[in-house]
Amino acid sequence: MGSGPSASSMKMVSAVITLLLMVVFLGYMMIWSMTPTNTFYLNWFPDVEKKTSSTYLGEQGSTILIYTFPILFIATVASLYLHLVKKYDHDHNTSRFFSQMILSRRLAITKGPLGIVTRTELTFLAMFVALLVWSLYSYMHDIFAFASVQAAQEKTQVWEVKLETAGLSLGLVGNTCLAFLFFPVARGSSVLHFFGLTSEASIKYHIWLGHITMAIFTAHGLCYVIYWSSTQQISQMLEWSKFRTEKAKVSNVAGEIALLAGLVMWATSFGRIRRKFFELFYYSHHLYVVFVIFYVFHIGFAQSCLILPGFYLFLIDRYLRLLQSQKKIRSVAARILPSKTVELNFSKSSGLSYAPTSIAFINVPSISRMQWHPFTITSNSNMDSDKISVVIKCDGSWSHELYQILSSPSPTSRLEVSVEGPYEPPSTNFMRYEKLVLVSGGSGITPFISIIREINFQSNRRGNRTPRIHLICAFKKYANLAMLELLLPVSGTTLDLSRLQLQIEAYITQETEPRTVNKSSIRTILFKPDPSDAPVSAVLGPNSWLWLGAIISSSFIIFLLLIGLLTRFYIFPIDQNTNNMKYPMPASSAFGMLFVCLAITIAASAAFLWNNRENGKELNQIRTMDMSTPAPSPASLVYETELESFPHQSLRQATTVLLGRRPNLKKILSEFKEENIGVYVSGPRTMRQEVAAVCSSFSTDNLHFESISFSW
């Protein structure tokens, strides 16, 4: 007997929620398209403002209702939807609408500054750029009509008035970009998951939006500097208006500080600089705090509510990550492979499940307390109920230092680690294909480890039909073949490996002769348990989506209560709803930012502490087991396994090693283009672009391409 809703009822609920949220989202986008028009500014908005600008919410009441509430409503309902899907639809059949729309689309661009772009992405990008162009034209057209009159009144040149108008219009258009900038970087966002996206895959949208935003804001600032210089008002650059007047509606100094912070982030975010000086990029990007704070001081909190929802969801996600990162995770063991590769194994909560290609962010305080690095999880939650694993390749200063710590003759007996995540993909579509072609370059093999382990598990379940797998992996050195050892779990399993239809082609690109690896060994280090360590667990427990929805809704209610009480009993008696003409604008902006942070802190902390109490029972059991288990002696902390004795025979038989060659991807894929194939690529940018170009050259609907943003 079933214990939950039937499949038909779940489909009905899914359809209703999807329709509701799409209507709200389309309405939200319609508001942005109408914002620059006179119809909105002179008719719609004043009418809403009269009904919402009460003695409790003040001038921000209208902007909160129009711009903030719809997105937070979508995020809350999407969280409920994702909870229902996870609980009652284990195959995620009801959540595939958006993911299929996104993942099965045709490629439009395979090379260039935008990276790999599909037709759907290009369409939405073109629509967004059209919205910006329309907004800029509408703002400037309406205001330019009065340029001559304004120039006569101010005794200035018409072109100077138009320049000032252009600067104002650019600033207003920049708000549109900024409203969407933070959505892609909220890792646990219910909005992204509802639309079938992940933060890792959406980073390119954040990059696009960041470049557009800073280009517009830079032009905005330059227009005003030139205007002030031309009209002998250069002293305006030092103006920080305490009260809003007809002439001074913003704080110029605050805007300049925000722009400078943004320019530093922008300058260090270009591809070549980011890749060559990653730490400079990483640390300078923390200036987003300065940027947002002074942006709010620049235009006031009421106007900042236009861009609040994206940043609000990002703040919730960031605070939850901060809470999770405070835990020290129980490190179980480390495996060191000859190819300067390390597999770290951590204890995990039995209730924690995750999908293949999930990622986790790792911090090792002994190396750096500030640096968090993303890694693809290679273990499988179906096969490893009490363990979670990540693989780290020695490629960079941070990973090199970690490798030195673990590979030293006297390795550490305890590795202190903090973990954020895991973060799952919204869906795993690879089971629906007849054949999977997995193409990896170097460290890009890590996401495929979790996929192959999942298919291995599913192939041993009665009645399950699994796709055939063709793994094409390219390595620079022959010693890197040791990476293939990670395709199958170390722990003993009862799974029948012969059911796994796996074919491997391993290409060694920089060596033409096989190297002797018989004497090489896999070194395993066992870490001593510590009473203060905890297993990896979901920050909000097994019902994380439901708790996230509760945090979003309750924190928003708390924020409204705080801002309402402050406005009614403190600000309104002074300001009388004059929009900061009598009450200092910096003070109201500071209170607004404080209450946003306070509301999120209260709601998220309460949810975290409640779930932490529930997880405490399991933590006590693990600690009891650790205390009852004798600690390993120093002599048994490290042991070695001969590489030749380790591989499964079936895995070795399925592998063909080709030396001094690169894979001919077009030839390989052309052999299968009549079948229903899923082509997944993970590796360097050049390889991903090459595979994308090959896939786009085939005019068939049977071949589906996806680039996985691997983390190593």
Side-chain angles (χ1 to χ4, degrees):
M1 293 180 62
S3 59
S6 63
S8 59
S9 62
M10 273 301 301
K11 288 182 179 179
M12 179 64 71
V13 171
S14 172
V16 170
I17 293 178
T18 300
L19 179 62
L20 172 64
L21 297 189
M22 285 305 299
V23 168
V24 176
F25 181 73
L26 289 175
Y28 177 74
M29 294 306 300
M30 187 201 73
I31 289 172
W32 276 109
S33 64
M34 292 298 296
T35 296
T37 64
N38 280 332
T39 302
F40 179 87
Y41 185 73
L42 299 177
N43 298 315
W44 293 5
F45 189 76
D47 186 51
V48 174
E49 196 171 27
K50 286 179 183 178
K51 297 176 181 178
T52 56
S53 295
S54 64
T55 57
Y56 286 93
L57 292 180
E59 63 170 330
Q60 61 259 17
S62 53
T63 51
I64 288 175
L65 176 64
I66 295 173
Y67 296 98
T68 303
F69 176 75
I71 292 298
L72 297 189
F73 175 80
I74 291 174
T76 301
V77 177
S79 298
L80 176 61
Y81 168 82
L82 293 168
H83 170 75
L84 294 174
V85 168
K86 184 177 181 180
K87 188 172 184 180
Y88 298 114
D89 181 20
H90 301 291
D91 294 325
H92 291 226
N93 292 320
T94 59
S95 63
R96 289 181 178 171
F97 173 75
F98 292 110
S99 60
Q100 287 183 357
M101 179 186 73
I102 290 168
L103 297 179
S104 62
R105 56 195 187 239
R106 293 285 186 85
L107 296 172
I109 302 174
T110 58
K111 292 182 180 181
L114 295 180
I116 299 172
V117 183
T118 63
R119 292 181 182 178
T120 305
E121 290 173 332
L122 193 61
T123 300
F124 280 108
L125 178 61
M127 290 170 62
F128 187 76
V129 172
L131 172 63
L132 299 182
V133 173
W134 152 251
S135 299
L136 183 61
Y137 167 78
S138 185
Y139 282 128
M140 295 177 68
H141 176 268
D142 293 338
I143 304 176
F144 273 13
F146 304 95
S148 299
V149 176
Q150 185 178 346
Q153 291 175 347
E154 297 179 359
K155 298 180 180 180
T156 57
Q157 300 293 323
V158 175
W159 73 268
E160 292 173 336
V161 173
K162 289 185 175 181
L163 181 64
E164 181 191 22
T165 299
L168 174 62
S169 301
L170 286 166
L172 295 173
V173 173
N175 291 339
T176 307
C177 295
L178 196 57
F180 295 90
L181 183 64
F182 288 95
F183 283 109
V185 289
R187 295 173 189 165
S189 169
S190 58
V191 175
L192 288 180
H193 274 253
F194 176 76
F195 285 103
L197 298 168
T198 63
S199 179
E200 283 290 293
S202 303
I203 286 296
K204 63 180 177 182
Y205 309 143
H206 175 73
I207 295 173
W208 296 349
L209 287 167
H211 286 311
I212 296 172
T213 301
M214 287 312 305
I216 292 174
F217 279 150
T218 301
H220 162 73
L222 286 174
C223 284
Y224 272 100
V225 170
I226 296 172
Y227 169 74
W228 290 330
S229 178
S230 176
T231 56
Q232 287 77 48
Q233 300 181 67
I234 201 68
S235 60
Q236 286 291 319
M237 292 187 67
L238 303 177
E239 180 71 27
W240 186 309
S241 302
K242 187 176 181 181
F243 300 98
R244 181 172 291 172
T245 64
E246 287 298 324
K247 290 187 176 180
K249 295 184 178 181
V250 298
S251 300
N252 296 333
V253 173
E256 292 153 12
I257 295 173
L259 181 59
L260 287 174
L263 287 173
V264 173
M265 289 189 288
W266 192 25
T268 57
S269 65
F270 287 93
R272 290 185 178 180
I273 298 176
R274 186 178 67 248
R275 287 188 289 269
K276 192 171 183 180
F277 305 101
F278 179 79
E279 291 188 2
L280 176 64
F281 157 78
Y282 176 80
Y283 290 117
S284 64
H285 242 60
H286 287 80
L287 287 172
Y288 76 87
V289 177
V290 177
F291 176 84
V292 171
I293 289 174
F294 284 95
Y295 169 84
V296 175
F297 280 133
H298 175 54
I299 65 173
F301 184 77
Q303 292 300 312
S304 298
C305 289
L306 274 73
I307 64 100
L308 179 60
F311 190 67
Y312 194 94
L313 296 177
F314 169 76
L315 277 181
I316 292 176
D317 179 76
R318 187 66 191 89
Y319 183 64
L320 289 173
R321 284 157 45 197
L322 176 66
L323 292 175
Q324 188 182 29
S325 67
Q326 301 308 303
K327 290 184 179 180
K328 299 306 176 187
I329 299 303
R330 163 84 163 91
S331 300
V332 178
R335 278 201 299 167
I336 304 174
L337 275 67
S339 54
K340 288 191 174 182
T341 303
V342 175
E343 181 188 55
L344 294 180
N345 299 281
F346 311 111
S347 172
K348 85 170 183 69
S349 169
S350 58
L352 176 64
S353 61
Y354 49 88
T357 71
S358 297
I359 66 167
F361 284 75
I362 308 297
N363 172 262
V364 181
S366 60
I367 299 176
S368 172
R369 293 188 177 275
M370 289 287 293
Q371 291 188 37
W372 290 81
H373 293 264
F375 298 100
T376 305
I377 297 173
T378 54
S379 55
N380 181 274
S381 58
N382 292 316
M383 300 170 68
D384 301 296
S385 60
D386 60 350
K387 185 188 70 173
I388 190 169
S389 305
V390 298
V391 175
I392 302 172
K393 175 74 169 152
C394 185
D395 184 19
S397 59
W398 186 90
S399 56
H400 180 77
E401 192 166 346
L402 176 65
Y403 182 80
Q404 292 296 322
I405 292 173
L406 296 175
S407 62
S408 64
S410 302
T412 179
S413 60
R414 177 176 179 263
L415 185 66
E416 186 177 323
V417 172
S418 296
V419 175
E420 289 180 5
Y423 300 102
E424 293 184 291
S427 62
T428 49
N429 290 308
F430 52 81
M431 294 297 292
R432 65 188 176 102
Y433 298 112
E434 296 176 11
K435 188 178 185 69
L436 283 180
V437 178
L438 311 178
V439 184
S440 71
S443 53
I445 196 173
T446 48
F448 300 149
I449 296 173
S450 60
I451 291 177
I452 292 173
R453 289 184 181 183
E454 174 66 16
I455 295 177
N456 185 20
F457 173 80
Q458 295 294 340
S459 66
N460 280 263
R461 296 178 66 181
R462 184 174 298 178
N464 268 16
R465 176 180 166 274
T466 57
R468 306 189 310 278
I469 307 171
H470 192 130
L471 174 62
I472 303 168
C473 47
F475 302 108
K476 291 181 179 180
K477 304 293 183 181
Y478 193 83
N480 297 136
L481 284 176
M483 289 293 302
L484 297 178
E485 305 297 329
L486 301 172
L487 290 175
L488 299 175
V490 179
S491 56
T493 64
T494 58
L495 299 178
D496 183 2
L497 299 177
S498 63
R499 292 177 177 268
L500 184 65
Q501 303 176 71
L502 175 64
Q503 179 184 353
I504 303 174
E505 289 185 23
Y507 291 82
I508 310 300
T509 60
Q510 294 186 1
E511 292 181 352
T512 57
E513 297 293 334
R515 303 290 181 181
T516 303
V517 294
N518 307 22
K519 297 180 181 179
S520 299
S521 59
I522 295 177
R523 192 183 192 203
T524 301
I525 303 170
L526 302 178
F527 297 118
K528 292 181 178 179
D530 189 277
S532 63
D533 291 342
V536 178
S537 60
V539 63
L540 294 175
N543 297 318
S544 56
W545 288 122
L546 192 62
W547 278 105
L548 180 61
I551 291 172
I552 295 170
S553 56
S554 61
S555 64
F556 186 55
I557 293 172
I558 293 171
F559 164 70
L560 292 178
L561 288 173
L562 291 173
I563 207 76
L565 292 173
L566 177 77
T567 304
R568 176 65 184 86
F569 298 105
Y570 182 63
I571 296 179
F572 178 76
I574 302 172
D575 197 58
Q576 296 295 317
N577 271 358
T578 60
N579 296 343
N580 293 121
M581 289 186 178
K582 297 179 181 178
Y583 186 81
M585 186 169 67
S588 63
S589 298
F591 275 121
M593 290 186 284
L594 174 64
F595 287 162
V596 166
C597 296
L598 191 60
I600 291 173
T601 301
I602 293 172
S605 297
F608 175 78
L609 292 173
W610 178 272
N611 282 280
N612 209 33
R613 188 182 69 173
E614 295 297 312
N615 292 334
K617 299 175 182 177
E618 182 178 2
L619 178 58
N620 289 333
Q621 293 177 354
I622 294 175
R623 286 173 177 170
T624 302
M625 292 176 61
D626 286 341
M627 295 299 292
S628 60
T629 304
S633 63
S636 64
L637 282 175
V638 181
Y639 63 91
E640 297 183 349
T641 306
E642 287 299 321
L643 194 60
E644 281 295 305
S645 65
F646 184 75
H648 292 274
Q649 189 66 22
S650 57
L651 182 62
R652 185 180 299 174
Q653 291 174 348
T655 305
T656 302
V657 179
L658 300 139
L659 297 163
R661 294 171 57 184
R662 291 175 55 84
N664 187 339
L665 298 173
K666 189 166 187 176
K667 180 181 178 182
I668 294 171
L669 294 177
S670 64
E671 296 175 0
F672 310 116
K673 66 178 182 179
E674 300 303 323
E675 300 181 72
N676 181 26
I677 300 178
V679 179
Y680 289 71
V681 58
S682 175
R685 182 180 181 182
T686 52
M687 169 171 277
R688 288 185 279 121
Q689 290 179 337
E690 180 184 356
V691 176
V694 171
C695 291
S696 63
S697 67
F698 295 125
S699 57
T700 175
D701 293 329
N702 296 327
L703 191 147
H704 306 270
F705 170 84
E706 181 179 354
S707 175
I708 298 180
S709 300
F710 79 97
S711 301
W712 180 279

